[in-house]
Amino acid sequence: DQQVKQNSPSLSVQEGRISILNCDYTNSMFDYFLWYKKYPAEGPTFLISISSIKDKNEDGRFTVFLNKSAKHLSLHIVPSQPGDSAVYFCAAPRQGNLIFGKGTKLSVKP
Amino acid sequence: DAGVIQSPRHEVTEMGQEVTLRCKPISGHNSLFWYRQTMMRGLELLIYFNNNVPIDDSGMPEDRFSAKMPNASFSTLKIQPSEPRDSAVYFCATKTQVGNTEAFFGQGTRLTVV
């Protein structure tokens, strides 16, 4: 049972445009969400998070939106840069550990 | 702090051999996680420890896999005997136990079993 789902395995965007990465979850008890970014041959690194008491959290070019009624969150990157090309994972804490989606590979083309 | 340190970075071994992966957590982090990344299953949790005690090992695929955390600064993941389907990247991650804090990952060990 996949409690955190990223249904798009890949996304390609032109440099300067907006990248929108989506994530759905099934467990209504989740109250905190994180996005991680992973480059090849490196471990995932934390990018941004959001608590369920908010519907938006912004950090520079990165904004995460949370729609609790739809059990959906999205990560917006604007403007997208070639250095943003990586795999992005959304995750939610559950009973002390982190449940990850399968990731979306973002390619930003110059 | 140097971050989460994993060794080796790469391991190539023959089927049937024992493999030991090592992790040194960030000082002060009392939760430690072992994840495995594959194309098919993404990042899957194998086991995690709080204060050196295994809390959930339901993700450990078979009895061939075992993990230990003898003290707060060291953990091992052992596969004995190894099989080609164990080939994957294995990550160790650590975090503070309190609250919704992010986990910090090591650079991973790429295991190839031939």
Side-chain angles (χ1 to χ4, degrees):
Chain A
D1 175 30
Q2 223 185 327
Q3 297 187 57
V4 177
K5 301 177 185 179
Q6 293 177 260
N7 293 321
S8 299
S10 64
L11 174 69
S12 183
V13 170
Q14 204 68 32
E15 180 179 7
R17 307 295 290 268
I18 185 171
S19 296
I20 300 176
L21 299 131
N22 294 305
C23 179
D24 298 295
Y25 60 97
T26 58
N27 191 335
S28 57
M29 298 299 289
F30 288 156
D31 61 2
Y32 191 77
F33 302 89
L34 306 93
W35 283 94
Y36 279 79
K37 175 179 180 179
K38 184 184 179 305
Y39 292 119
E42 294 183 12
T45 55
F46 169 72
L47 185 58
I48 192 170
S49 62
I50 188 165
S51 166
S52 61
I53 63 173
K54 294 185 175 182
D55 53 18
K56 175 183 174 182
N57 188 26
E58 189 173 350
D59 183 1
R61 297 185 296 112
F62 301 90
T63 303
V64 56
F65 295 92
L66 175 62
N67 182 334
K68 291 186 287 294
S69 61
K71 295 193 181 71
H72 176 84
L73 61 154
S74 60
L75 174 67
H76 293 212
I77 307 173
V78 55
S80 302
Q81 299 173 354
D84 297 329
S85 297
V87 178
Y88 290 79
F89 294 94
C90 68
R94 182 184 71 96
Q95 296 177 339
N97 74 68
L98 278 176
I99 310 296
F100 283 86
K102 289 191 175 182
T104 298
K105 183 176 182 179
L106 173 66
S107 300
V108 180
K109 302 194 181 307
Chain B
D1 200 313
V4 178
I5 300 174
Q6 290 186 247
S7 63
R9 288 294 310 276
H10 302 274
E11 176 80 36
V12 181
T13 191
E14 290 186 347
M15 183 173 65
Q17 296 298 306
E18 177 180 298
V19 175
T20 299
L21 311 181
R22 297 172 176 81
C23 176
K24 182 180 185 324
I26 293 172
S27 177
H29 284 191
N30 47 15
S31 293
L32 183 142
F33 308 84
W34 282 101
Y35 287 92
R36 177 170 68 176
Q37 184 186 20
T38 60
M39 291 292 291
M40 291 296 294
R41 301 172 71 92
L43 267 172
E44 53 177 341
L45 178 71
L46 300 177
I47 186 171
Y48 81 95
F49 296 83
N50 277 347
N51 295 318
N52 314 336
V53 176
I55 302 300
D56 183 356
D57 65 354
S58 59
M60 297 285 262
E62 299 172 33
D63 291 345
R64 299 183 296 107
F65 286 68
S66 62
K68 293 182 180 179
M69 192 163 185
N71 56 61
S73 35
F74 186 63
S75 177
T76 59
L77 177 68
K78 185 180 293 186
I79 308 172
Q80 165 64 18
S82 57
E83 296 183 3
R85 61 194 167 119
D86 301 330
S87 299
V89 182
Y90 291 80
F91 289 103
C92 175
T94 70
K95 68 187 288 291
T96 57
Q97 189 177 352
V98 178
N100 285 322
T101 56
E102 67 268 24
F104 293 81
F105 282 75
Q107 291 194 294
T109 295
R110 178 172 291 278
L111 173 64
T112 303
V113 183
V114 298

